[in-house]
Amino acid sequence: MQILPPLSRTALYSPGERLLHGKDPVRSLDGDGPRAWTELDAQVYYATHSRGGRSSGRVRVGPHWFDDREITDWGTAPHWHDGHGVTWASTPPAEPELALCLCHGDPRVREAALGHAAGRPGVLPLVLIRCADFQEPVREAARAVLAAELDAAGEEAVRALVPLALLVSTRRHGARAWDLVLERLGSPPADRIAELAGHADAEVRLGAVPAALAHRLLPADGVADLADDPEARIRFAALRSGLLPAERTAGLVLTGKCPEIRRAALELALEAGTLTPERLLETAAASRDRVVRRRCEELARPALDSLSGPLLDSLLVHHRASLRVVAVGALRRAGRAGELTARLADPAATVREAARRELRAAGQDPLAHYRARCADSPVPGAVFGLAEAGDASDLPLLRRLAGHPEGRVRAAALSGLRRHGAATPEELLPYLADPHAPVVGAVRSLVVPYARTRPESWLLKLFAPGRPDAVRVAGLALLELRPLLTRRRIARSLTSHGDPAVRGWARELLQQRLKWELYAGRDAALKLADGTGAPLDEVVDTEDPAAWTALDIGVRYMAPYEAKAFGSRAATALCHWNGRIREGAVVAAAGDPELLPLVVLRCADWVPQVREAARRVVADALRDSGERTLRAATPMVMHLRERNEGRWAVEAFESALREPRYAAVRAELCSHSDLRTRRAAVRISLEGAGSGEGLALARRAAAEPDAVLRDLWTGAALAVMAAHGSDDPAVDALLASRSGSVRAAGVTALRAAGRAGEAPGHLADRSGAVRACARWLVRQQGGDSRAHYLRLCADSPSPGAALGLAECADRADAAVLRGLLGHRDGPVRAAAVAGLRMLGVPEPGPEALLPLLDDPSPAVAREAARSLLPVAGRLPAGRLTVRTRPEHPAHTRRAAVRLLAAQGADEGLPPLTAVLEDPDPALKTLALALLRRWDWQATARGGGFEPTEMRALFWRYKRELSWGEMRATRLDL
């Protein structure tokens, strides 16, 4: 081996690389703890395991890139030669070379190196590690060398090996190394072992704790602390040592950090007899572990005869149905059978069944109680019980209860009618419009088959303004059962619906393009070519340009397999893979308005002959019937704008739209549902700068949902007002818009209209752009915006006033914003938090902001989370983890999840993965996006989790990923 000059400690080289370059073993380590030796051993082992088998790569050293073998060529390390043994660079080998061979991937090299290890104290830690080698000859040779060296070494040198010996003792064959060190010392070093039992490194701690417990070196409080250790194996060791007080062991049944600890503690407490039947029931009532609850309930059943008093009363009102069942079963034996009738109407079916069983055992008829209760004062539980215990004679009563004023009673009655199969879809259909959500849910699945036959107008009535959320949800569920074309047709009428969920569903469906083009087009092509003569508008969504391109793709995909069938119909012939068939179909389609979109599509064809023929047909159509052609084909033309040959049709149609005779068509297209068409028509309509009426333009700007078109309409309105003088109604129309950019233009126009005095009224606008324009206008008039904001925050605070103050004030005004943190209005509190963040004041600090995550206003929790993000690493992970539980509101859980992900600490990984099963889909989507950015490899290397725990967390996340995303994690557990 070539011995190079020793290297100074640098992060550019690993410990094994420093050793290969000739550095002493002790000076090659990264750190001075026992883990440094084991990491050196593992690194050299893997680097020398397959000599000559690794490929060359590139590594970065400082600003430069090198071939990795130029930096460290492990092919020069000693290896085994069948004829000569180990290829030593010198005999006896130097300590760096000897250390390399003691860690070598070839067991023959390791065994040969042990023959030179005697009398070499610099490699004695590596000899100790070899005492746990998986090869028996190496293991035995190392133990012999270690025993001899320990006999000759001083006590201080032996004590220095204690941490490494304890660390190695956790390995399969490592106990002997610790025994040899212990025999040499004569007695365990109590102070050293106790110190290592509290070490920060979990692996070192894991080696020291069993020794500390075996020799009883820890006080009772120390053993109790181990029961809360982050490392599960240490918790198990402390629990099973028998040194924990009985009460402490029983307490771990409820407080244990992992299910295994809680269940093991339960078994130990049962063996010790510390859990009485009454305490078992109390544990079942308080435990969050389902296995522990079931086990405690099962073991406590023999004591039900003696169950009474406050414990029985508390179980009767417990939120868990299983415990209420236990309590109901004990009522009769406790002499309280008279209370069973009250339990017949319990919300849980299992409790009602237990109450009926006990009541029959007491000689009473539960059905009579149900009938009397439902006739006089019905409650949902009694109605459910009547349906469960009743017969056909009770159907009239259930039908009458289906019209009860209380929604919960109606829902229970409808469920009872469903249970007996006594309700027809015609009877249940009106309940889809019920204002009570459970009623709608009870009937929705039954009326699905019948709802498919209802007309589209009936479906649209479910989305009428004022309908409850549950009705709209039911309408969306029924819409999903309709064919794709029907859904898309209905979705067009819902894109401007007042409900964001309905509006989002409609827009998402209409925006689906690449996902369904091939499949929808292929299905449409097969329907057109099956010989049944299906009308074109029943197969293709003729109003959607993407449907025509999908048909084109589908026919080209299928035509090679059934060329004759696809060439026999005009629509499929226009999309045929054979250019001659397409050319002939274009000529034949002249004068057919139904096929005009496909002829326009052929204007961008890749075959020149087809392209020219289609352009001639389209030009003739524009000349002979311009209005009809522009109305029918402009959306298709704009859809082809980005194609290589699509510019011809765009230029031809835009030229036609500029003609004065088509002004009516142009105005009609300005309100078209297709966005590309609407933008083109508006742009052409506004080409005449300064033309038009300012009020009409302002109204169009205020009502336009598209941002690009809003800017066009707003600019045109301002241009008209600049050219012809300000128009007060036009300015008022701009100021009344829901868009901040349009309102900002209106505020700017106030000065030209001579209404600059109205600017202070817009200082507290919800839009930052409007507030900035209003402040500019106030400054132009010599006013002080800050004084206005201070007065607004004192008299009538609003979110805009708080934000506006933060935008123009300094830190001296932070006290005003801090005073708004206790305002009764949630948006004002949220604006105050955001304003303090904008001012950059040091207060309120994290301790004051953390409780704001629990604020009932989602806006306050969101702003508090944004303010806490820069200091997320200093927040206690436990307090954030508690806020991710389902009992907290969704906005609190969402804020806590964001902060846990920002911490990047291992403690945040379990709650983040648990959120993947959260009932809130938005929170699940957020958690998945955050987990995709999580450094899983760093967490795995950190050792904060057991392999089984890490594997469970990773697989819970991994099943939500695609194949490509799974490969991108580069983590295999």
Side-chain angles (χ1 to χ4, degrees):
M1 180 181 73
Q2 181 182 5
I3 303 298
L4 300 178
L7 302 175
S8 60
R9 181 170 292 179
T10 168
L12 298 178
Y13 290 93
S14 65
E17 290 170 342
R18 299 181 198 129
L19 200 62
L20 181 63
H21 282 279
K23 195 170 185 178
D24 290 339
V26 175
R27 292 178 55 80
S28 298
L29 302 176
D30 281 338
D32 54 1
R35 282 291 294 275
W37 287 103
T38 58
E39 289 171 359
L40 172 66
D41 174 56
Q43 186 182 14
V44 174
Y45 175 87
Y46 286 115
T48 57
H49 185 267
S50 55
R51 177 180 174 271
R54 58 186 290 273
S55 61
S56 177
R58 290 176 63 77
V59 295
R60 184 174 181 175
V61 180
H64 304 293
W65 290 87
F66 298 91
D67 187 292
D68 58 359
R69 295 198 178 191
E70 295 180 26
I71 305 302
T72 306
D73 187 4
W74 284 97
T76 63
H79 60 278
W80 183 266
H81 190 280
D82 290 334
H84 302 91
V86 180
T87 58
W88 304 106
S90 61
T91 305
E95 278 197 357
E97 187 175 16
L98 182 59
L100 278 176
C101 294
L102 285 171
C103 306
H104 205 279
D106 192 331
R108 297 171 294 182
V109 176
R110 297 199 298 274
E111 186 177 5
L114 287 168
H116 298 276
R120 311 290 285 272
V123 296
L124 189 58
L126 296 176
V127 174
L128 189 148
I129 293 174
R130 293 281 68 79
C131 291
D133 200 282
F134 54 89
Q135 294 287 340
E136 186 176 1
V138 180
R139 196 163 60 238
E140 294 302 327
R143 290 171 179 175
V145 173
L146 180 64
E149 290 297 308
L150 290 178
D151 289 339
E155 184 175 352
E156 287 301 321
V158 178
R159 288 177 64 88
L161 292 175
V162 167
L164 182 59
L166 289 172
L167 179 61
V168 173
S169 68
T170 61
R171 300 186 178 183
R172 181 179 180 184
H173 303 289
R176 181 57 182 160
W178 168 243
D179 291 341
L180 290 173
V181 172
L182 197 58
E183 289 174 5
R184 172 65 178 81
L185 292 174
S187 61
D191 55 344
R192 187 65 172 139
I193 294 177
E195 177 187 352
L196 293 173
H199 199 276
D201 192 323
E203 292 296 328
V204 177
R205 212 162 56 245
L206 188 61
V209 164
L213 294 174
H215 296 283
R216 298 179 179 270
L217 302 177
L218 296 176
D221 292 341
V223 178
D225 291 339
L226 291 179
D228 295 325
D229 194 274
E231 176 63 42
R233 290 174 290 181
I234 295 178
R235 297 197 295 266
F236 273 114
L239 186 62
R240 293 169 177 166
S241 66
L243 301 178
L244 280 176
E247 282 301 319
R248 176 66 173 169
T249 303
L252 287 175
V253 178
L254 293 176
T255 62
K257 289 187 176 181
C258 67
E260 292 80 8
I261 290 292
R262 295 193 292 269
R263 295 163 193 174
L266 175 61
E267 298 302 326
L268 290 174
L270 291 173
E271 292 176 6
T274 55
L275 293 179
T276 62
E278 291 77 9
R279 191 168 177 183
L280 282 172
L281 287 174
E282 293 173 356
T283 303
S287 177
R288 64 181 187 273
D289 191 314
R290 181 180 300 178
V291 175
V292 171
R293 292 201 305 267
R294 290 178 177 174
R295 179 84 168 127
C296 290
E297 292 170 15
E298 178 184 352
L299 294 171
R301 288 189 190 280
L304 292 181
D305 293 337
S306 59
L307 184 62
S308 61
L311 179 58
L312 178 58
D313 294 333
S314 64
L315 294 180
L316 284 171
V317 296
H318 200 275
H319 64 278
R320 293 198 182 104
S322 60
L323 291 174
R324 296 203 301 275
V325 169
V326 172
V328 167
L331 281 175
R332 186 168 53 87
R333 287 183 286 273
R336 298 167 58 178
E339 300 179 23
L340 288 171
T341 55
R343 304 300 161 187
L344 288 173
D346 194 275
T350 54
V351 180
R352 293 195 298 269
E353 176 60 31
R356 290 195 295 269
R357 184 174 58 249
E358 293 295 321
L359 205 59
R360 292 189 187 102
Q364 299 185 46
D365 181 15
L367 184 56
H369 289 283
Y370 280 130
R371 289 170 176 167
R373 182 72 180 274
C374 291
D376 297 337
S377 54
V379 295
V383 179
F384 279 118
L386 178 64
E388 293 162 353
D391 50 30
S393 62
D394 298 305
L395 293 178
L397 179 56
L398 289 174
R399 292 183 190 279
R400 188 167 68 254
L401 291 174
H404 195 273
E406 187 178 353
R408 297 183 304 158
V409 175
R410 292 198 303 275
L414 289 171
S415 298
L417 292 173
R418 288 180 56 187
R419 184 184 184 94
H420 290 278
T424 63
E426 289 82 359
E427 293 174 330
L428 295 176
L429 206 57
Y431 289 100
L432 271 181
D434 195 279
H436 193 58
V439 176
V440 178
V443 303
R444 190 174 70 192
S445 60
L446 279 183
V447 302
V448 161
Y450 184 72
R452 290 178 177 175
T453 64
R454 304 294 291 172
E456 294 178 14
S457 58
W458 178 83
L459 274 175
L460 288 173
K461 288 180 181 177
L462 298 178
F463 301 98
R467 292 284 192 178
D469 292 343
V471 177
R472 294 196 292 271
V473 170
L476 290 178
L478 297 175
L479 272 177
E480 290 293 339
L481 302 173
R482 296 298 180 99
L484 176 64
L485 296 183
T486 305
R487 294 205 307 271
R488 292 176 65 81
R489 187 161 50 246
I490 294 177
R492 285 195 189 89
S493 62
L494 299 175
T495 53
S496 300
H497 197 276
D499 184 1
V502 176
R503 188 169 64 245
W505 173 87
R507 292 177 179 177
E508 182 180 358
L509 179 65
L510 292 175
Q511 289 170 1
Q512 291 178 3
R513 291 290 183 265
L514 298 177
K515 185 181 297 185
W516 65 272
E517 264 190 357
L518 173 60
Y519 300 103
R522 186 176 60 188
D523 294 343
L526 291 173
K527 290 178 182 178
L528 289 175
D530 60 4
T532 59
L536 187 60
D537 59 352
E538 293 184 4
V539 178
V540 180
D541 187 358
T542 55
E543 298 179 12
D544 186 7
W548 293 110
T549 57
L551 175 65
D552 184 45
I553 294 172
V555 172
R556 285 207 311 275
Y557 181 81
M558 299 298 297
Y561 305 104
E562 300 181 42
K564 184 176 180 180
F566 285 103
S568 61
R569 185 159 178 175
T572 54
L574 281 166
C575 308
H576 204 276
W577 66 277
N578 190 316
R580 294 183 179 87
I581 296 178
R582 292 200 306 278
E583 184 180 5
V586 165
V587 176
D592 189 346
E594 188 180 44
L595 299 175
L596 185 60
L598 286 176
V599 176
V600 171
L601 182 60
R602 297 279 69 84
C603 289
D605 200 280
W606 61 94
V607 178
Q609 293 84 348
V610 178
R611 198 162 58 235
E612 294 303 324
R615 289 175 179 178
R616 286 193 296 271
V617 172
V618 171
D620 292 342
L622 283 173
R623 184 185 64 248
D624 299 336
S625 55
E627 284 194 16
R628 185 179 65 184
T629 302
L630 288 172
R631 286 191 180 94
T634 300
M636 191 69 203
V637 169
M638 299 306 163
H639 189 69
L640 302 175
R641 177 187 291 272
E642 302 301 327
R643 294 202 177 188
N644 292 336
E645 301 294 341
R647 289 302 307 169
W648 179 90
V650 173
E651 292 172 359
F653 273 66
E654 287 183 349
S655 177
L657 286 172
R658 287 185 176 92
E659 297 181 19
R661 56 177 174 160
Y662 296 134
V665 179
R666 189 168 61 242
E668 182 180 331
L669 293 179
C670 284
S671 302
H672 200 276
S673 59
D674 181 69
L675 183 59
R676 295 187 186 93
T677 303
R678 196 161 72 248
R679 286 180 177 177
V682 170
R683 194 173 286 110
I684 293 171
S685 299
L686 297 178
E687 282 181 352
S691 62
E693 184 183 353
L695 178 58
L697 294 173
R699 286 174 176 170
R700 294 297 296 264
E704 179 58 54
D706 181 59
V708 174
L709 292 178
R710 274 202 305 270
D711 292 342
L712 290 175
W713 291 116
T714 304
L718 293 177
V720 169
M721 286 190 286
H724 304 290
S726 296
D727 185 357
D728 285 344
V731 174
D732 293 335
L734 294 176
L735 292 173
S737 174
R738 296 178 61 185
S739 169
S741 61
V742 178
R743 293 200 306 278
V747 171
T748 306
L750 286 174
R751 186 184 187 191
R755 299 164 54 183
E758 300 178 17
H762 301 279
L763 285 173
D765 194 274
R766 61 182 181 274
S767 169
V770 177
R771 293 195 299 271
C773 291
R775 289 195 297 271
W776 170 81
L777 197 53
V778 168
R779 286 197 303 272
Q780 297 300 312
Q781 301 299 313
D784 184 6
S785 301
R786 177 175 171 273
H788 284 288
Y789 280 126
L790 289 173
R791 186 167 57 254
L792 286 173
C793 290
D795 298 340
S796 55
S798 65
L803 290 173
L805 178 62
E807 290 164 351
C808 69
D810 51 28
R811 291 192 174 189
D813 298 315
V816 177
L817 294 177
R818 279 195 289 269
L820 295 178
L821 291 176
H823 196 271
R824 65 179 182 277
D825 192 6
V828 175
R829 296 196 301 274
V833 176
L836 290 171
R837 183 174 68 250
M838 293 165 59
L839 288 176
V841 295
E843 294 183 359
E847 288 300 324
L849 287 174
L850 199 58
L852 294 179
L853 298 179
D854 302 318
D855 195 279
S857 171
V860 176
R862 183 169 58 250
E863 293 298 339
R866 288 177 182 172
S867 300
L868 288 170
L869 278 176
V871 295
R874 303 203 304 266
L875 299 178
R879 296 174 67 180
L880 295 176
T881 301
V882 169
R883 288 177 167 86
T884 63
R885 294 175 181 170
E887 58 265 22
H888 289 274
H891 62 271
T892 300
R893 303 201 303 273
R894 195 175 296 117
V897 163
R898 284 198 178 98
L899 292 172
L900 281 171
Q903 281 187 333
D906 292 349
E907 293 84 353
L909 191 56
L912 266 180
T913 50
V915 170
L916 292 176
E917 299 174 4
D918 195 277
D920 183 7
L923 188 57
K924 177 180 177 180
T925 302
L926 171 65
L928 190 58
L930 296 173
L931 284 171
R932 285 192 175 104
R933 299 197 296 268
W934 190 274
D935 193 345
W936 286 86
Q937 291 187 334
T939 300
R941 290 193 301 267
F945 300 98
E946 298 180 58
T948 54
E949 292 176 326
M950 186 68 182
R951 190 177 297 112
L953 293 173
F954 183 66
W955 273 101
R956 184 186 295 181
Y957 156 73
K958 195 172 182 180
R959 66 171 179 252
E960 303 287 345
L961 303 180
S962 64
W963 174 249
E965 290 171 332
M966 282 191 287
R967 293 187 62 186
T969 60
R970 297 183 293 112
L971 187 62
D972 187 15
L973 294 172

PDB file of all heavy atoms in Angstrom, residues 381-398:
ATOM      1  N   GLY A 381     -82.883   7.944  18.561  1.00  0.00           N
ATOM      2  CA  GLY A 381     -82.557   6.607  19.038  1.00  0.00           C
ATOM      3  C   GLY A 381     -83.790   5.726  19.166  1.00  0.00           C
ATOM      4  O   GLY A 381     -83.747   4.531  18.842  1.00  0.00           O
ATOM      5  N   ALA A 382     -84.891   6.307  19.629  1.00  0.00           N
ATOM      6  CA  ALA A 382     -86.128   5.519  19.755  1.00  0.00           C
ATOM      7  C   ALA A 382     -86.664   5.118  18.385  1.00  0.00           C
ATOM      8  O   ALA A 382     -87.176   4.004  18.209  1.00  0.00           O
ATOM      9  CB  ALA A 382     -87.169   6.326  20.528  1.00  0.00           C
ATOM     10  N   VAL A 383     -86.549   5.992  17.413  1.00  0.00           N
ATOM     11  CA  VAL A 383     -87.022   5.656  16.056  1.00  0.00           C
ATOM     12  C   VAL A 383     -86.166   4.545  15.459  1.00  0.00           C
ATOM     13  O   VAL A 383     -86.675   3.603  14.847  1.00  0.00           O
ATOM     14  CB  VAL A 383     -87.016   6.917  15.174  1.00  0.00           C
ATOM     15  CG1 VAL A 383     -87.469   6.573  13.761  1.00  0.00           C
ATOM     16  CG2 VAL A 383     -87.916   7.991  15.770  1.00  0.00           C
ATOM     17  N   PHE A 384     -84.862   4.638  15.643  1.00  0.00           N
ATOM     18  CA  PHE A 384     -83.987   3.556  15.170  1.00  0.00           C
ATOM     19  C   PHE A 384     -84.338   2.246  15.859  1.00  0.00           C
ATOM     20  O   PHE A 384     -84.381   1.180  15.228  1.00  0.00           O
ATOM     21  CB  PHE A 384     -82.511   3.911  15.444  1.00  0.00           C
ATOM     22  CG  PHE A 384     -81.898   4.821  14.433  1.00  0.00           C
ATOM     23  CD1 PHE A 384     -81.437   6.071  14.798  1.00  0.00           C
ATOM     24  CD2 PHE A 384     -81.767   4.424  13.115  1.00  0.00           C
ATOM     25  CE1 PHE A 384     -80.862   6.925  13.869  1.00  0.00           C
ATOM     26  CE2 PHE A 384     -81.186   5.268  12.173  1.00  0.00           C
ATOM     27  CZ  PHE A 384     -80.739   6.520  12.553  1.00  0.00           C
ATOM     28  N   GLY A 385     -84.580   2.301  17.160  1.00  0.00           N
ATOM     29  CA  GLY A 385     -84.932   1.090  17.887  1.00  0.00           C
ATOM     30  C   GLY A 385     -86.238   0.501  17.425  1.00  0.00           C
ATOM     31  O   GLY A 385     -86.398  -0.728  17.350  1.00  0.00           O
ATOM     32  N   LEU A 386     -87.216   1.349  17.113  1.00  0.00           N
ATOM     33  CA  LEU A 386     -88.498   0.854  16.602  1.00  0.00           C
ATOM     34  C   LEU A 386     -88.299   0.118  15.274  1.00  0.00           C
ATOM     35  O   LEU A 386     -88.895  -0.939  15.042  1.00  0.00           O
ATOM     36  CB  LEU A 386     -89.466   2.020  16.425  1.00  0.00           C
ATOM     37  CG  LEU A 386     -90.842   1.678  15.844  1.00  0.00           C
ATOM     38  CD1 LEU A 386     -91.608   0.753  16.787  1.00  0.00           C
ATOM     39  CD2 LEU A 386     -91.642   2.946  15.569  1.00  0.00           C
ATOM     40  N   ALA A 387     -87.436   0.664  14.420  1.00  0.00           N
ATOM     41  CA  ALA A 387     -87.162  -0.005  13.150  1.00  0.00           C
ATOM     42  C   ALA A 387     -86.433  -1.330  13.365  1.00  0.00           C
ATOM     43  O   ALA A 387     -86.650  -2.298  12.628  1.00  0.00           O
ATOM     44  CB  ALA A 387     -86.333   0.906  12.246  1.00  0.00           C
ATOM     45  N   GLU A 388     -85.577  -1.401  14.398  1.00  0.00           N
ATOM     46  CA  GLU A 388     -84.811  -2.619  14.647  1.00  0.00           C
ATOM     47  C   GLU A 388     -85.657  -3.710  15.290  1.00  0.00           C
ATOM     48  O   GLU A 388     -85.467  -4.900  15.017  1.00  0.00           O
ATOM     49  CB  GLU A 388     -83.610  -2.288  15.548  1.00  0.00           C
ATOM     50  CG  GLU A 388     -82.566  -1.406  14.880  1.00  0.00           C
ATOM     51  CD  GLU A 388     -81.645  -0.736  15.878  1.00  0.00           C
ATOM     52  OE1 GLU A 388     -81.895  -0.846  17.107  1.00  0.00           O
ATOM     53  OE2 GLU A 388     -80.689  -0.080  15.443  1.00  0.00           O
ATOM     54  N   ALA A 389     -86.566  -3.331  16.160  1.00  0.00           N
ATOM     55  CA  ALA A 389     -87.336  -4.326  16.902  1.00  0.00           C
ATOM     56  C   ALA A 389     -88.748  -4.507  16.373  1.00  0.00           C
ATOM     57  O   ALA A 389     -89.423  -5.479  16.740  1.00  0.00           O
ATOM     58  CB  ALA A 389     -87.404  -3.931  18.385  1.00  0.00           C
ATOM     59  N   GLY A 390     -89.222  -3.591  15.522  1.00  0.00           N
ATOM     60  CA  GLY A 390     -90.599  -3.637  15.080  1.00  0.00           C
ATOM     61  C   GLY A 390     -90.821  -4.552  13.897  1.00  0.00           C
ATOM     62  O   GLY A 390     -89.930  -5.265  13.421  1.00  0.00           O
ATOM     63  N   ASP A 391     -92.075  -4.521  13.395  1.00  0.00           N
ATOM     64  CA  ASP A 391     -92.454  -5.356  12.256  1.00  0.00           C
ATOM     65  C   ASP A 391     -93.261  -4.508  11.282  1.00  0.00           C
ATOM     66  O   ASP A 391     -93.294  -3.266  11.373  1.00  0.00           O
ATOM     67  CB  ASP A 391     -93.244  -6.580  12.726  1.00  0.00           C
ATOM     68  CG  ASP A 391     -94.390  -6.211  13.669  1.00  0.00           C
ATOM     69  OD1 ASP A 391     -94.923  -5.081  13.524  1.00  0.00           O
ATOM     70  OD2 ASP A 391     -94.729  -7.019  14.544  1.00  0.00           O
ATOM     71  N   ALA A 392     -93.971  -5.166  10.360  1.00  0.00           N
ATOM     72  CA  ALA A 392     -94.712  -4.444   9.323  1.00  0.00           C
ATOM     73  C   ALA A 392     -95.809  -3.559   9.899  1.00  0.00           C
ATOM     74  O   ALA A 392     -96.195  -2.554   9.278  1.00  0.00           O
ATOM     75  CB  ALA A 392     -95.305  -5.445   8.325  1.00  0.00           C
ATOM     76  N   SER A 393     -96.327  -3.899  11.066  1.00  0.00           N
ATOM     77  CA  SER A 393     -97.398  -3.080  11.647  1.00  0.00           C
ATOM     78  C   SER A 393     -96.904  -1.706  12.086  1.00  0.00           C
ATOM     79  O   SER A 393     -97.712  -0.810  12.340  1.00  0.00           O
ATOM     80  CB  SER A 393     -98.018  -3.815  12.840  1.00  0.00           C
ATOM     81  OG  SER A 393     -97.042  -4.025  13.852  1.00  0.00           O
ATOM     82  N   ASP A 394     -95.577  -1.530  12.198  1.00  0.00           N
ATOM     83  CA  ASP A 394     -95.022  -0.251  12.627  1.00  0.00           C
ATOM     84  C   ASP A 394     -94.682   0.670  11.457  1.00  0.00           C
ATOM     85  O   ASP A 394     -94.226   1.801  11.677  1.00  0.00           O
ATOM     86  CB  ASP A 394     -93.744  -0.474  13.455  1.00  0.00           C
ATOM     87  CG  ASP A 394     -94.017  -1.256  14.726  1.00  0.00           C
ATOM     88  OD1 ASP A 394     -94.881  -0.809  15.503  1.00  0.00           O
ATOM     89  OD2 ASP A 394     -93.377  -2.305  14.918  1.00  0.00           O
ATOM     90  N   LEU A 395     -94.903   0.206  10.217  1.00  0.00           N
ATOM     91  CA  LEU A 395     -94.554   1.032   9.065  1.00  0.00           C
ATOM     92  C   LEU A 395     -95.367   2.318   8.992  1.00  0.00           C
ATOM     93  O   LEU A 395     -94.810   3.376   8.647  1.00  0.00           O
ATOM     94  CB  LEU A 395     -94.707   0.223   7.770  1.00  0.00           C
ATOM     95  CG  LEU A 395     -93.712  -0.933   7.603  1.00  0.00           C
ATOM     96  CD1 LEU A 395     -93.975  -1.688   6.312  1.00  0.00           C
ATOM     97  CD2 LEU A 395     -92.285  -0.402   7.614  1.00  0.00           C
ATOM     98  N   PRO A 396     -96.689   2.310   9.276  1.00  0.00           N
ATOM     99  CA  PRO A 396     -97.420   3.588   9.255  1.00  0.00           C
ATOM    100  C   PRO A 396     -96.847   4.627  10.213  1.00  0.00           C
ATOM    101  O   PRO A 396     -96.791   5.822   9.879  1.00  0.00           O
ATOM    102  CB  PRO A 396     -98.850   3.185   9.637  1.00  0.00           C
ATOM    103  CG  PRO A 396     -98.954   1.747   9.232  1.00  0.00           C
ATOM    104  CD  PRO A 396     -97.608   1.165   9.494  1.00  0.00           C
ATOM    105  N   LEU A 397     -96.411   4.184  11.394  1.00  0.00           N
ATOM    106  CA  LEU A 397     -95.825   5.127  12.334  1.00  0.00           C
ATOM    107  C   LEU A 397     -94.510   5.686  11.790  1.00  0.00           C
ATOM    108  O   LEU A 397     -94.232   6.894  11.918  1.00  0.00           O
ATOM    109  CB  LEU A 397     -95.598   4.441  13.683  1.00  0.00           C
ATOM    110  CG  LEU A 397     -94.959   5.290  14.802  1.00  0.00           C
ATOM    111  CD1 LEU A 397     -95.773   6.557  15.045  1.00  0.00           C
ATOM    112  CD2 LEU A 397     -94.834   4.473  16.078  1.00  0.00           C
ATOM    113  N   LEU A 398     -93.712   4.827  11.172  1.00  0.00           N
ATOM    114  CA  LEU A 398     -92.454   5.306  10.595  1.00  0.00           C
ATOM    115  C   LEU A 398     -92.726   6.286   9.454  1.00  0.00           C
ATOM    116  O   LEU A 398     -91.993   7.275   9.292  1.00  0.00           O
ATOM    117  CB  LEU A 398     -91.614   4.123  10.101  1.00  0.00           C
ATOM    118  CG  LEU A 398     -90.987   3.240  11.179  1.00  0.00           C
ATOM    119  CD1 LEU A 398     -90.302   2.034  10.552  1.00  0.00           C
ATOM    120  CD2 LEU A 398     -89.970   4.043  11.997  1.00  0.00           C
TER     121      LEU A 398
END
